[in-house]
Amino acid sequence: MANILVVDDELGIRDLLSEILNDEGHTVELAENAAQARAARQRMRPDLVLLDIWMPDTDGVTLLKEWSTTGLLNMPVVMMSGHATIETAVEATKIGAQSFLEKPITMQKLLKAVETGLARISGSASSPVPMRKPGMAGVVPMQPIELTVEAAMTGGQTIPAVVEMGPQARQVFELDKPLRDARDEFEKCYFEYHLAREGGSMTRVAEKTGLERTHLYRKLKQLGVDLSRGKRSAASSTS
């Protein structure tokens, strides 16, 4: 797993991205402006940075240029914005950004961008590449891109195969009880089953059950589902 720095002036965005990435096993550091990002960059030496463009003190593109010109752009940077133009996306990619995420950010696109960035780190370990210099593109040579805000996005990553584990797919329920109690009992078993199947990954359970991640969290809390149960099951099955 990786150390990831999330830089965004919106508390809601920071909390959401932190929640998703922590659930995937990453260590997450948060910064709400460029000053905090600089300090975090020196302190934790992140494996990857998620960097918002529009911030109150110094915008993300300016910070990206600063890291590039001072030789500190030695980690993948994924830019984020809800109001960026095509020109901004292309400029950031030319400076050295790995990719560009347009807000609102979906879980699928976020995880693909993170996986791609971390995969490039692994690849560069065996095949060293020159350090970025001002005015150069990123570590990976730029390819012809379609003129969209998400032009720098790369994908195609596949989710690991599901391992069968945990509760059985078929359950027996006691129906001689109030509807609300019977429904809660069924839903609890349903979500515990999928948590066990997906190794405790809330991201994949949300995709499997068709629920938004935040709604899924609230539902599981309401039902009293043990969120660590699936992860413990996955760990025991691999030991």
Side-chain angles (χ1 to χ4, degrees):
M1 295 294 100
N3 294 322
I4 299 178
L5 172 60
V6 176
V7 186
D8 198 297
D9 63 322
E10 296 183 54
L11 176 61
I13 297 294
R14 295 198 304 274
D15 286 347
L16 177 61
L17 298 186
S18 176
E19 191 174 81
I20 293 174
L21 295 171
N22 274 316
D23 184 59
E24 292 300 307
H26 301 296
T27 299
V28 181
E29 180 89 5
L30 302 177
E32 63 179 88
N33 53 46
Q36 291 184 9
R38 293 186 189 99
R41 161 69 183 74
Q42 287 296 113
R43 181 174 64 255
M44 69 178 291
R45 299 188 180 277
D47 299 309
L48 183 140
V49 177
L50 295 168
L51 177 59
D52 186 33
I53 286 185
W54 304 115
M55 295 187 294
D57 56 346
T58 302
D59 66 85
V61 174
T62 299
L63 181 59
L64 185 71
K65 287 180 180 177
E66 176 186 312
W67 283 341
S68 177
T69 56
T70 56
L72 296 177
L73 193 56
N74 53 8
M75 68 288 182
V77 175
V78 177
M79 307 300 292
M80 307 181 294
S81 178
H83 308 284
T85 63
I86 295 172
E87 291 75 15
T88 303
V90 173
E91 178 188 6
T93 308
K94 287 181 177 180
I95 294 170
Q98 169 198 292
S99 57
F100 199 106
L101 290 177
E102 188 173 13
K103 296 178 182 178
I105 300 171
T106 65
M107 289 181 293
Q108 293 86 349
K109 289 181 179 179
L110 170 66
L111 295 180
K112 282 182 180 179
V114 169
E115 288 170 4
T116 300
L118 297 179
R120 291 183 181 182
I121 294 175
S122 300
S124 63
S126 56
S127 303
V129 293
M131 181 70 72
R132 290 187 181 94
K133 295 181 180 179
M136 293 181 63
V139 168
V140 178
M142 290 186 62
Q143 301 295 325
I145 56 176
E146 179 186 355
L147 290 181
T148 63
V149 173
E150 295 184 47
M153 276 294 296
T154 56
Q157 302 296 314
T158 56
I159 296 176
V162 172
V163 178
E164 297 291 340
M165 63 182 71
Q168 298 298 311
R170 297 181 181 276
Q171 301 281 351
V172 177
F173 296 97
E174 175 59 55
L175 302 181
D176 187 18
K177 59 179 59 177
L179 174 60
R180 182 183 184 87
D181 294 340
R183 183 182 61 200
D184 288 348
E185 181 181 328
F186 166 76
E187 289 184 344
K188 183 175 182 180
C189 289
Y190 173 82
F191 288 117
E192 286 177 342
Y193 169 73
H194 284 290
L195 276 169
R197 276 180 59 94
E198 304 300 338
S201 170
M202 290 292 293
T203 299
R204 291 194 281 273
V205 171
E207 294 174 352
K208 187 74 174 180
T209 60
L211 295 177
E212 290 294 333
R213 200 169 193 278
T214 51
H215 176 65
L216 176 60
Y217 265 111
R218 288 196 298 269
K219 190 68 176 176
L220 296 181
K221 294 288 188 180
Q222 174 189 337
L223 294 171
V225 174
D226 181 2
L227 301 182
S228 63
R229 178 176 177 177
K231 293 182 178 180
R232 292 199 304 269
S233 298
S236 61
S237 67
T238 56
S239 60

